Amino acid sequence: MTERRQLSGGRLVLATHNKGKLREIAELVAPYGFSVVSAGELGLPEPEETGSTFEANAVLKAVAAATSANLPALADDSGVVVAALHGDPGIYSARWAGPAKDFAYAMKRVEDGLKGKSDRSAYFVAVLALAWPDGHTEVFRGEVHGNLVWPPRGEKGFGYDPMFVPEGRSETFGEIEPGEKHAMSHRAKAFSQLTEACFGRKTG
Ligand code: ITT
């Protein structure tokens, strides 16, 4: 296995402009003793997501932030992959919400696509990319499988959470407490691989 580059302490840019993701990533990173700053706080531009995979877009966002800020940066590219929609919205999950970032509208688009279809299975993907200012990157992927319900339920999450029920549960991600989502989510799974490979021990 190739050696992973380690990162311990110091400043870390959270390279996202999505408030829901920012909150979750900040909570996941909190025990590791970094001094975190968001891309928004640094006034970094939102790069265009020109990649055709979650991995490519995560790397593109992390490298853009790390080089502009001259600091290590952590980016997340994620989305919901719906089997009966041939994998849509997938990497286009944010774009399905339109310029107003209206996720009630995005969820309705998914539900409209599922009309008359019996397969309501879907999974969330999160790819986390950690980039250093010299261009080195490390990439990790997590998935959580489940089913889509209608109407949407719960206010605790963000994005498509209110219509996603993870396998083995009856509540949606919108109804599950944030701490519990962190124990099972796609983002948490990618993050635990990242911490094992690249972060030192938890502090405190
Ligand atoms: P950044 O690129 O600035 O991080 P973004 O919202 O554009 O923000 P993505 O391109 O990765 O990020 O879009 C992923 C979308 O998928 C996101 O807008 C959410 O709506 C959805 N999504 C990702 N993770 C989710 C989660 O845990 N729960 C609900 N929806 C999620």
Side-chain angles (χ1 to χ4, degrees):
M1 206 180 119
T2 47
E3 186 112 343
R4 298 285 198 177
R5 195 186 284 188
Q6 295 280 310
L7 184 69
S8 59
R11 292 182 89 199
L12 176 65
V13 181
L14 304 186
T16 177
H17 290 84
N18 177 315
K19 289 200 178 71
K21 287 206 289 195
L22 182 61
R23 187 180 63 237
E24 288 193 3
I25 298 167
E27 283 171 15
L28 290 166
V29 171
Y32 292 89
F34 293 97
S35 156
V36 297
V37 57
S38 72
E41 285 170 275
L42 292 176
L44 302 181
E46 229 179 307
E48 206 192 325
E49 297 188 19
T50 51
S52 56
T53 61
F54 290 107
E55 281 77 5
N57 284 331
V59 165
L60 172 159
K61 290 187 273 192
V63 168
T67 41
S68 336
N70 200 29
L71 288 169
L74 178 60
D76 163 310
D77 200 63
S78 45
V80 64
V81 176
V82 183
L85 303 183
H86 312 289
D88 274 342
I91 62 164
Y92 304 104
S93 294
R95 283 164 270 188
W96 271 39
K101 301 191 176 171
D102 179 350
F103 284 95
Y105 166 72
M107 288 189 286
K108 180 75 171 51
R109 282 181 72 181
V110 170
E111 182 58 22
D112 287 348
L114 288 177
K115 285 240 156 66
K117 299 195 164 125
S118 55
D119 181 4
R120 300 189 59 93
S121 67
Y123 60 95
F124 272 121
V125 177
V127 172
L128 291 173
L130 187 56
W132 280 257
D134 67 2
H136 180 83
T137 56
E138 301 282 355
V139 180
F140 304 89
R141 182 186 182 101
E143 294 181 3
V144 61
H145 291 246
N147 285 289
L148 299 176
V149 294
W150 198 258
R153 308 192 312 252
E155 307 283 323
K156 292 187 174 128
F158 67 96
Y160 297 84
D161 279 342
M163 72 179 302
F164 182 82
V165 175
E167 268 169 14
R169 299 293 295 245
S170 53
E171 316 96 301
T172 68
F173 264 173
E175 296 171 311
I176 287 174
E177 292 301 329
E180 264 197 278
K181 184 178 172 192
H182 290 334
M184 67 170 95
S185 78
H186 46 313
R187 185 160 295 107
K189 287 179 182 168
F191 190 73
S192 85
Q193 292 174 49
L194 183 150
T195 57
E196 217 168 280
C198 299
F199 285 3
R201 287 167 182 279
K202 288 186 190 182
T203 56

